[in-house]
Amino acid sequence: MSEENKNLEHKRHTLAHLLAAAVLVEYPHAKLTLGPAIDHGFYYDIDFSAGETPGDEDLKKIQKHMKKMLSAWTSFDHKEVSADEARGVFAGNDFKLELINEIENKGETITLYTAGAGTKAEFTDLCRGGHSENPAEEISADAFKLDKIAGAYWRGDEKNPMLTRIYGLAFDTKDELDAYLTQLEEAKKRDHRKLGKELGLFSFSELVGPGLPLWSPKGTTFRREIDRFVTELRQEKGYELVTIPHIAKKALYEASGHWQKYSEDLFKVRAKEGDDHDEYVLKPMNCPHHTQIFDAEPRSYKELPQRYAETTMVYRAEQSGELSGLTRVLSITQDDAHVFCRETQLREEIEAIWDIVDSFYGKFGFELKVRLSFHDPEKKEKYLGESSTWEETEGMMKTIAQARGADYFIGIGEAAFYAPKLDFMASDSIGRTHQVATIQLDRLLPERFDLTCINESGEKERIIMIHAAIAGSLERFAAVLIEHLAGNFPLRFAPVQLAIIPVADVHNKYATDVYTTLKAAGYRVEIDTSNDSMGKKIRSAKKNKLPYFIVIGDQEVENNTLTLESRDNESNETITLENLLHKFAEENN
Amino acid sequence: MSEENKNLEHKRHTLAHLLAAAVLVEYPHAKLTLGPAIDHGFYYDIDFSAGETPGDEDLKKIQKHMKKMLSAWTSFDHKEVSADEARGVFAGNDFKLELINEIENKGETITLYTAGAGTKAEFTDLCRGGHSENPAEEISADAFKLDKIAGAYWRGDEKNPMLTRIYGLAFDTKDELDAYLTQLEEAKKRDHRKLGKELGLFSFSELVGPGLPLWSPKGTTFRREIDRFVTELRQEKGYELVTIPHIAKKALYEASGHWQKYSEDLFKVRAKEGDDHDEYVLKPMNCPHHTQIFDAEPRSYKELPQRYAETTMVYRAEQSGELSGLTRVLSITQDDAHVFCRETQLREEIEAIWDIVDSFYGKFGFELKVRLSFHDPEKKEKYLGESSTWEETEGMMKTIAQARGADYFIGIGEAAFYAPKLDFMASDSIGRTHQVATIQLDRLLPERFDLTCINESGEKERIIMIHAAIAGSLERFAAVLIEHLAGNFPLRFAPVQLAIIPVADVHNKYATDVYTTLKAAGYRVEIDTSNDSMGKKIRSAKKNKLPYFIVIGDQEVENNTLTLESRDNESNETITLENLLHKFAEENN
């Protein structure tokens, strides 16, 4: 972490203390528990007495206390105390007592931190440290803001009591806070859950269950076009589609090693009532199945690389409390692909996947940064295989990144234990960063499944695998894309591409002819012959974020033309049907 | 059943007795159990003493005894006996004693049937009757044949002892038996398991499990083209694609009623070790999910029909012993569709689906017969809803069948309890009949899920559903199609459509140009530049059942032409690349 980041984190941590101190002014019976710095700010988890729990409307009051007390916090001192001493200070607070006992049992030092010592704002908390030395001076009183209240289990465990979590936002300057608030505001308008409903893309059903989205015809068109786009880009690079079922015997995951590591997070499947052994597993990923297609017959080196792509759902058991919109779902559609190749083919295959990633994210205007996730040469024991192999592969990855002029950085220790990877990060239109595609090399599964090819010398040669999802999870990518574009999808990806609006009934015939021609050309067109007013029809097309609409009145019928209006600007254009078809053909890919 | 069919069934049942009698000649300690007539013949399940169980090589010997004894069977007599009397006759045979006790408990009459009374071939069995009166005269000794030996559990229950089942084939005439044997022989050659392996379409993995096919790139192309064809036909009729997950809460199936009826056959899904209640179900069908998409928002009559199509896998828990090739699988890919419409729209929707069924099966040269599966007016209590509604709907279905000139028959009592349906039967190229598509009306699910539209009067109106899969199970249809066509798929459905075979290295450049052009036009082409001989290359193309291959030698290069050979005949054709593209464009749909 940079010095600058560390300072900001100290400020946020300090503000968590300040929040706690301010809460006690208003709610003297509240029991404090834990309050860390987090991304964009801080929080504190507090156990309020029954009937005393504050609501969002109380935040202003608490914040006022914070600002007042801040000016008195010119120092932050600490002292080491014995466990008994600490227990004395926090007598009656079971949460703090639990923490003290734990520190004592670990034989660690117990420290108390006091801010504003000797003033009316004096406040002491059990803490490991990491604060601003002079909060009054360092922290700008208008660069933080209490944000919201939520529930949280003590130590995140649902078996524990529910506490009240108060969140705050904090930055170095008011400008940064304001910019973040604007981003939040903008993100709220673009929230994919809200837009998804407004645009009729997907829904949830209580009977089906949370985290299990149901995609309407419109949503399915949108998903399908994303998927087709990936498939086309892959086809150019020689990828072929395969098909696997969604379940497998537990034996498959024992062989892959997933059972030993992740069995808690797997959905187990069983057939008969009362049958208590888990015969099948709902697949959490596709690689083990794909190895079995590769391994269905002996492979000559001449057949390599084998490049298998498949868009298919995987299932991972999440707590239902963690499910949200399309970003946390139980059914994850992966546009997955696995390359089975020789070590000598690795570079070319990585470059091909990188090309696909660039084309895909570039299409939607995302800016990509890539992390070269390498092993940590100081912790060789954590990694599988020879150092020289690691270094060679990582060197090659770096060479590719440089040759492409990619915006990259190196993440030491970020590799999987079995091979390095490339992690792509996309910046969206409101400045947020999303981790997207990954190119993961894999020398482990080929070992575990004994995957080989017969080489030029007639000998078995161990092959290497590459995991290469592009959109990754279609659900999560759809959420990111909806918010990035605020629902204004490019022509190809728009569920409905054009609305035809006849001004009056006499224009219906001409409008219908235009409709039929566009439909026959494969476009997704709607015609609005309802009795609604022109204004209402146009507003409806705009509300549904259709890329284009055409209005057909006397003039259009007379001149055999169309008046085309675009979602993206207010101007309109007179165009012949023929030219519209040309325009669409050019834009629709 | 017709009189003719009844006679044949009596012969087959008689032959089961004859088989038992013949077995006792060779194996006097064998215990007889049950032996019915079945399609194409008969069988008898027998408990042989340890070490005495016959093998296929013993069938001839037994058959010889049968033929010899048949001539003495000039009569088939029966007498009613008391349970004690019967127990005396079958003393020591626990299987027969179990049957006798059951008949006694039900208070039914016990009858013993004796053939060849008073001769050396005399044989008596516990039986309900249904035999040839004079077997020696009625049964042709060369119209039956013992077929094979298999294992079978006593009364089909795997908890019971394993018995030996001897199968026989039997027809009215030798010609019919021979024709059936020829069909069997032909079916064996076309067996989709054998061809699927030879053509590299799919495989099974022990780690993944039986009944869970893995589709290679070639197999996936074949499947995908079948699916695309259905999707295209549906698109013309206004169907739209939707997307659902593969699991749902148990609550969905409680609401649909499937849980109460079929919970034994459902795969239950659970997340955490030790969590013993079944939170999720792996979907056995798609209709309940699709109702939730329909019901995600209030529907105006103007939006109806809603036609949702989706190709997605469903899972049904079968005994692993019942799994076989692609015909009995655990993961069933359905090209499913559901229409949500008003009663007034029913006829048009049925006709549209029927059009699709005709186009689809017609494309592959299947002949279709359709059963109008109606309710039984004499058992009104078995059916949901008003008689008048049933009669009206059935009358309409009959009118459609007549108007189309369909080859149809009526199956009284074959309706589901909630609505009538249309069941299509396809005859394949070797004379076998397969039950294929079904158009199932449904007035039950709309009730259970309270599905309505708002009609012209602003009132809620109950809608009706139609279930309309076309290929049905893609796995089963693939199996039927592979065997029907013996792997010779039409151009559009062939995984590889054309092989390019250059005669020598000097022809590689021209061959590669042709290859590139055809590839760019979207065709699935292979070029064989290996060092194999011409003959071997051609044999390989033919063995892989490629629709076409082209050989490129001096003459072709010189004249800028191609020599095109078809899989289907030995002749060849000189053609320009341009004309080949025209020919393919015409044939490839």
Side-chain angles (χ1 to χ4, degrees):
Chain A
M1 202 187 291
S2 70
E3 200 56 37
E4 206 177 320
N5 286 343
K6 211 175 273 175
N7 279 337
L8 182 54
E9 194 182 325
H10 287 174
K11 288 182 189 178
R12 287 170 173 164
H13 185 186
T14 300
L15 285 163
H17 283 254
L18 189 59
L19 164 59
V23 162
L24 287 184
V25 176
E26 280 291 325
Y27 307 90
H29 306 302
K31 286 180 191 157
L32 303 176
T33 71
L34 282 168
I38 53 171
D39 278 358
H40 315 302
F42 57 92
Y43 69 76
Y44 212 110
D45 284 348
I46 299 165
D47 184 35
F48 287 93
S49 314
E52 275 203 350
T53 309
D56 283 332
E57 65 286 1
D58 300 308
L59 291 182
K60 269 206 176 142
K61 200 169 57 184
I62 299 170
Q63 188 168 299
K64 226 167 151 184
H65 288 296
M66 285 175 75
K67 300 209 171 180
K68 212 162 123 192
M69 294 168 95
L70 175 60
S71 57
W73 282 25
T74 55
S75 63
F76 226 123
D77 313 311
H78 76 283
K79 67 168 178 184
E80 294 183 8
V81 294
S82 71
D84 281 341
E85 223 170 320
R87 277 190 281 264
V89 175
F90 295 101
N93 181 331
D94 292 343
F95 305 100
K96 294 286 187 188
L97 293 177
E98 183 179 324
L99 296 174
I100 293 164
N101 289 343
E102 274 180 24
I103 307 173
E104 183 183 27
N105 288 339
K106 281 195 237 160
E108 291 172 2
T109 311
I110 300 176
T111 47
L112 299 184
Y113 276 78
T114 301
T119 71
K120 274 171 70 182
E122 179 174 317
F123 174 74
T124 296
D125 205 354
L126 178 74
C127 190
R128 281 168 206 270
H131 307 100
S132 309
E133 287 180 17
N134 184 339
E137 196 168 277
E138 291 170 45
I139 296 175
S140 168
D142 54 5
F144 73 87
K145 182 178 186 294
L146 291 186
D147 183 30
K148 61 181 177 191
I149 293 183
Y153 292 107
W154 167 235
R155 314 198 92 173
D157 186 335
E158 57 188 289
K159 288 181 213 120
N160 288 338
M162 175 70 92
L163 306 171
T164 302
R165 176 171 295 178
I166 303 180
Y167 283 98
L169 301 170
F171 293 85
D172 284 320
T173 65
K174 179 176 189 306
D175 282 356
E176 284 166 313
L177 174 63
D178 288 346
Y180 183 71
L181 289 170
T182 308
Q183 191 192 67
L184 276 189
E185 198 57 37
E186 189 52 42
K188 213 167 166 182
K189 276 190 241 159
R190 292 161 177 249
D191 189 320
H192 75 276
R193 290 166 296 190
K194 181 174 154 280
L195 277 177
K197 202 178 157 71
E198 284 170 18
L199 300 177
L201 300 179
F202 57 87
S203 61
F204 292 92
S205 148
E206 277 185 29
L207 290 173
V208 173
L212 294 168
L214 304 168
W215 294 83
S216 70
K218 282 185 180 170
T220 299
T221 299
F222 170 58
R223 276 171 64 101
R224 189 191 56 206
E225 288 302 326
I226 293 171
D227 183 43
R228 277 194 189 162
F229 182 41
V230 175
T231 303
E232 284 168 18
L233 293 172
R234 279 183 174 149
Q235 208 159 20
E236 289 168 23
K237 305 290 186 182
Y239 282 71
E240 299 181 292
L241 298 175
V242 295
T243 310
I244 60 172
H246 299 83
I247 60 175
K249 293 206 149 202
K250 185 172 131 183
L252 183 69
Y253 299 102
E254 286 172 337
S256 71
H258 291 111
W259 183 261
Q260 295 82 330
K261 283 207 148 189
Y262 307 109
S263 79
E264 267 282 300
D265 301 323
L266 302 181
F267 277 120
K268 286 90 179 176
V269 176
R270 64 192 172 74
K272 297 287 173 199
E273 282 293 345
D275 170 9
D276 62 1
H277 67 285
D278 301 303
E279 209 168 347
Y280 294 97
V281 172
L282 200 46
K283 71 178 158 77
M285 59 238 309
N286 308 306
C287 26
H289 278 87
H290 284 181
T291 66
Q292 298 305 292
I293 296 180
F294 176 83
D295 208 29
E297 44 189 292
R299 300 288 176 184
S300 153
Y301 71 96
K302 292 181 199 162
E303 293 174 75
L304 262 52
Q306 292 274 313
R307 306 178 192 91
Y308 301 151
E310 182 171 13
T311 299
T312 173
M313 289 188 190
V314 300
Y315 291 82
R316 292 172 192 173
E318 306 261 2
Q319 299 289 353
S320 34
E322 291 167 358
L323 302 172
S324 163
L326 296 179
T327 48
R328 299 296 291 269
V329 289
L330 293 176
S331 55
I332 303 162
T333 313
Q334 291 186 328
D335 62 335
D336 213 356
H338 295 100
V339 178
F340 299 81
C341 67
R342 304 174 81 179
E343 291 278 350
T344 52
Q345 295 168 324
L346 201 47
R347 175 168 182 166
E348 203 176 330
E349 293 306 312
I350 292 174
E351 290 190 285
I353 301 166
W354 202 327
D355 285 348
I356 297 170
V357 169
D358 277 349
S359 302
F360 181 77
Y361 288 94
K363 173 86 182 177
F364 302 104
F366 289 107
E367 277 176 29
L368 285 184
K369 197 188 264 273
V370 61
R371 181 177 71 200
L372 312 185
S373 298
F374 288 172
H375 79 304
D376 183 347
E378 301 195 349
K379 295 180 181 159
K380 283 185 181 152
E381 69 287 358
K382 282 177 61 184
Y383 301 95
L384 194 87
E386 299 295 318
S387 291
S388 57
T389 312
W390 280 89
E391 277 153 27
E392 199 183 308
T393 311
E394 290 171 358
M396 179 258 283
M397 290 165 98
K398 203 170 150 185
T399 307
I400 300 176
Q402 283 167 341
R404 300 179 73 90
D407 182 0
Y408 77 93
F409 64 100
I410 291 173
I412 294 292
E414 300 283 353
F417 74 92
Y418 48 86
K421 59 181 172 156
L422 296 162
D423 290 308
F424 293 86
M425 260 77 77
S427 303
D428 75 9
S429 60
I430 59 170
R432 295 179 302 180
T433 301
H434 308 273
Q435 169 129 12
V436 288
T438 291
I439 305 178
Q440 170 74 63
L441 311 194
D442 192 345
R443 294 192 174 95
L444 181 63
L445 281 190
E447 285 290 335
R448 295 197 72 119
F449 286 107
D450 191 18
L451 305 180
T452 57
C453 69
I454 304 297
N455 67 16
E456 293 88 339
S457 325
E459 286 157 356
K460 278 191 178 181
E461 178 182 304
R462 173 73 66 231
I463 57 113
I464 181 166
M465 276 176 75
I466 313 174
H467 306 256
I470 303 301
S473 147
L474 275 196
E475 286 75 18
R476 189 166 162 278
F477 179 74
V480 168
L481 191 60
I482 291 169
E483 299 191 359
H484 172 57
L485 299 172
N488 296 304
F489 307 130
L491 187 65
R492 170 169 182 173
F493 303 91
V496 181
Q497 300 174 303
L498 176 109
I500 300 173
I501 304 176
V503 174
D505 286 356
V506 295
H507 311 117
N508 282 356
K509 198 203 157 299
Y510 180 66
T512 306
D513 289 348
V514 172
Y515 172 81
T516 309
T517 305
L518 285 166
K519 268 284 203 202
Y523 294 105
R524 299 182 292 271
V525 193
E526 276 180 4
I527 183 164
D528 189 345
T529 54
S530 70
N531 293 325
D532 292 338
S533 71
M534 276 287 301
K536 192 167 172 191
K537 288 179 182 184
I538 290 173
R539 278 195 301 280
S540 162
K542 287 191 170 175
K543 190 174 152 278
N544 286 312
K545 303 193 182 245
L546 269 50
Y548 293 101
F549 61 93
I550 50 184
V551 173
I552 291 178
D554 288 344
Q555 216 181 328
E556 284 78 10
V557 173
E558 200 175 306
N559 301 335
N560 204 20
T561 58
L562 305 166
T563 301
L564 179 72
E565 298 198 34
S566 150
R567 165 191 65 198
D568 302 321
N569 53 49
E570 293 297 313
S571 71
N572 55 43
E573 172 185 8
T574 301
I575 193 169
T576 62
L577 179 55
E578 200 189 334
N579 283 337
L580 179 65
L581 285 167
H582 285 309
K583 181 185 166 75
F584 269 27
E586 230 167 80
E587 196 176 328
N588 195 43
N589 53 43
Chain B
M1 202 186 290
S2 69
E3 199 57 38
E4 205 177 323
N5 287 342
K6 211 174 273 174
N7 278 338
L8 181 55
E9 195 182 323
H10 286 175
K11 288 183 189 177
R12 288 171 173 163
H13 186 186
T14 301
L15 284 163
H17 283 254
L18 188 60
L19 164 60
V23 161
L24 287 184
V25 176
E26 279 292 325
Y27 306 90
H29 306 301
K31 287 178 190 158
L32 303 175
T33 71
L34 282 168
I38 54 171
D39 278 358
H40 315 303
F42 57 91
Y43 70 76
Y44 212 110
D45 284 347
I46 299 164
D47 184 34
F48 287 94
S49 313
E52 274 202 352
T53 310
D56 283 334
E57 66 285 0
D58 300 306
L59 291 181
K60 272 208 174 140
K61 197 168 59 184
I62 300 170
Q63 187 169 301
K64 223 166 153 186
H65 287 296
M66 286 174 75
K67 299 207 172 181
K68 210 161 128 195
M69 294 167 95
L70 175 60
S71 58
W73 282 24
T74 54
S75 64
F76 226 123
D77 314 310
H78 76 283
K79 67 169 178 181
E80 294 182 10
V81 295
S82 71
D84 280 342
E85 221 169 322
R87 276 191 281 265
V89 174
F90 294 102
N93 182 332
D94 292 341
F95 304 99
K96 293 286 187 190
L97 294 177
E98 183 179 323
L99 296 174
I100 292 163
N101 290 343
E102 274 179 24
I103 306 173
E104 183 183 29
N105 289 339
K106 281 195 237 161
E108 292 172 2
T109 312
I110 299 174
T111 47
L112 299 184
Y113 276 78
T114 301
T119 71
K120 270 170 72 181
E122 179 173 317
F123 173 73
T124 297
D125 205 353
L126 179 74
C127 191
R128 281 168 206 271
H131 306 102
S132 308
E133 287 179 18
N134 183 340
E137 196 167 278
E138 290 171 45
I139 297 175
S140 166
D142 53 8
F144 73 87
K145 182 177 185 295
L146 291 188
D147 184 29
K148 61 182 176 190
I149 292 183
Y153 292 107
W154 167 235
R155 314 198 92 171
D157 186 334
E158 56 188 291
K159 289 181 213 119
N160 287 339
M162 174 72 91
L163 306 171
T164 301
R165 176 171 295 178
I166 302 180
Y167 282 99
L169 301 170
F171 293 85
D172 284 320
T173 64
K174 179 177 187 308
D175 282 354
E176 283 167 313
L177 173 63
D178 287 346
Y180 183 70
L181 288 172
T182 307
Q183 190 191 68
L184 276 190
E185 196 58 38
E186 189 52 41
K188 215 168 166 182
K189 275 191 241 160
R190 293 162 177 249
D191 189 319
H192 74 277
R193 291 167 295 191
K194 180 172 155 279
L195 277 177
K197 202 177 157 71
E198 283 170 17
L199 301 177
L201 301 178
F202 57 87
S203 61
F204 292 91
S205 147
E206 276 185 29
L207 289 172
V208 173
L212 295 167
L214 304 167
W215 293 83
S216 70
K218 283 184 180 171
T220 299
T221 300
F222 170 60
R223 274 170 66 100
R224 189 191 57 207
E225 289 303 325
I226 292 171
D227 183 43
R228 278 195 189 158
F229 182 43
V230 174
T231 303
E232 284 168 18
L233 293 172
R234 278 182 175 151
Q235 208 159 20
E236 290 167 23
K237 305 289 186 183
Y239 282 72
E240 299 181 293
L241 298 175
V242 295
T243 310
I244 60 172
H246 299 83
I247 60 176
K249 292 205 149 203
K250 184 172 131 183
L252 183 70
Y253 299 102
E254 286 171 338
S256 71
H258 292 111
W259 183 262
Q260 295 81 329
K261 283 208 151 187
Y262 307 108
S263 79
E264 267 281 301
D265 302 324
L266 302 180
F267 277 119
K268 286 88 179 180
V269 176
R270 64 191 170 76
K272 297 287 171 198
E273 281 293 346
D275 169 11
D276 62 1
H277 67 286
D278 300 302
E279 207 168 348
Y280 294 97
V281 172
L282 199 47
K283 71 179 159 73
M285 59 237 310
N286 308 305
C287 27
H289 279 88
H290 284 181
T291 65
Q292 298 304 291
I293 296 180
F294 177 83
D295 208 30
E297 45 189 292
R299 301 288 175 183
S300 153
Y301 71 94
K302 291 180 200 162
E303 294 174 75
L304 264 52
Q306 293 275 313
R307 306 178 191 92
Y308 301 151
E310 181 171 11
T311 299
T312 173
M313 288 188 190
V314 299
Y315 291 82
R316 293 174 192 171
E318 306 261 2
Q319 300 288 354
S320 35
E322 291 167 358
L323 302 171
S324 163
L326 297 179
T327 47
R328 297 299 290 269
V329 289
L330 293 176
S331 55
I332 304 162
T333 313
Q334 290 185 329
D335 63 335
D336 213 357
H338 296 101
V339 178
F340 299 81
C341 67
R342 303 175 81 178
E343 291 278 351
T344 52
Q345 295 167 324
L346 201 47
R347 175 168 184 168
E348 203 177 328
E349 293 305 312
I350 292 174
E351 290 190 285
I353 302 166
W354 202 326
D355 285 347
I356 298 171
V357 169
D358 277 349
S359 301
F360 181 77
Y361 288 94
K363 172 86 182 177
F364 302 104
F366 288 107
E367 277 177 30
L368 285 183
K369 196 187 263 274
V370 61
R371 180 176 73 199
L372 312 184
S373 297
F374 289 172
H375 80 304
D376 182 347
E378 301 194 350
K379 296 179 180 159
K380 282 184 183 154
E381 69 288 356
K382 281 178 61 183
Y383 302 94
L384 193 87
E386 299 294 317
S387 290
S388 57
T389 311
W390 279 89
E391 277 154 26
E392 200 182 306
T393 311
E394 289 172 356
M396 178 258 285
M397 289 165 99
K398 201 170 152 185
T399 307
I400 300 175
Q402 282 167 340
R404 301 179 72 91
D407 182 1
Y408 77 92
F409 63 101
I410 291 173
I412 294 293
E414 300 283 353
F417 75 92
Y418 47 87
K421 58 181 172 156
L422 296 162
D423 291 307
F424 293 87
M425 261 77 77
S427 304
D428 74 10
S429 60
I430 58 169
R432 295 178 302 180
T433 300
H434 308 274
Q435 169 128 11
V436 289
T438 291
I439 304 178
Q440 171 74 63
L441 312 194
D442 191 345
R443 294 191 175 94
L444 180 64
L445 281 189
E447 284 291 335
R448 295 197 72 119
F449 286 106
D450 191 20
L451 305 180
T452 58
C453 68
I454 304 298
N455 67 16
E456 293 88 337
S457 326
E459 287 158 354
K460 278 190 180 184
E461 177 182 305
R462 173 74 63 230
I463 57 114
I464 181 166
M465 277 176 74
I466 313 174
H467 306 255
I470 304 300
S473 147
L474 276 196
E475 286 75 18
R476 188 166 162 277
F477 179 73
V480 168
L481 190 60
I482 291 169
E483 299 191 0
H484 172 57
L485 299 173
N488 295 304
F489 307 129
L491 188 65
R492 170 170 182 173
F493 303 91
V496 181
Q497 300 174 303
L498 175 110
I500 301 173
I501 303 176
V503 174
D505 286 355
V506 296
H507 311 117
N508 281 356
K509 199 201 156 302
Y510 180 66
T512 305
D513 289 349
V514 171
Y515 172 82
T516 309
T517 306
L518 286 166
K519 267 285 202 199
Y523 295 105
R524 299 182 292 272
V525 192
E526 275 181 2
I527 182 164
D528 190 344
T529 54
S530 70
N531 292 325
D532 292 338
S533 71
M534 277 288 301
K536 191 166 174 194
K537 288 179 182 183
I538 291 174
R539 279 194 302 279
S540 162
K542 288 193 170 173
K543 189 173 152 276
N544 286 312
K545 304 193 183 248
L546 270 50
Y548 293 101
F549 61 93
I550 50 183
V551 174
I552 291 179
D554 287 344
Q555 214 181 330
E556 284 79 12
V557 174
E558 199 174 309
N559 301 334
N560 205 19
T561 58
L562 305 167
T563 301
L564 180 71
E565 299 197 35
S566 151
R567 166 189 64 199
D568 302 322
N569 53 49
E570 294 297 312
S571 71
N572 56 42
E573 174 184 3
T574 301
I575 193 170
T576 62
L577 179 55
E578 200 189 334
N579 282 338
L580 178 66
L581 284 166
H582 286 308
K583 181 185 166 76
F584 269 26
E586 228 166 82
E587 195 175 330
N588 194 44
N589 53 42

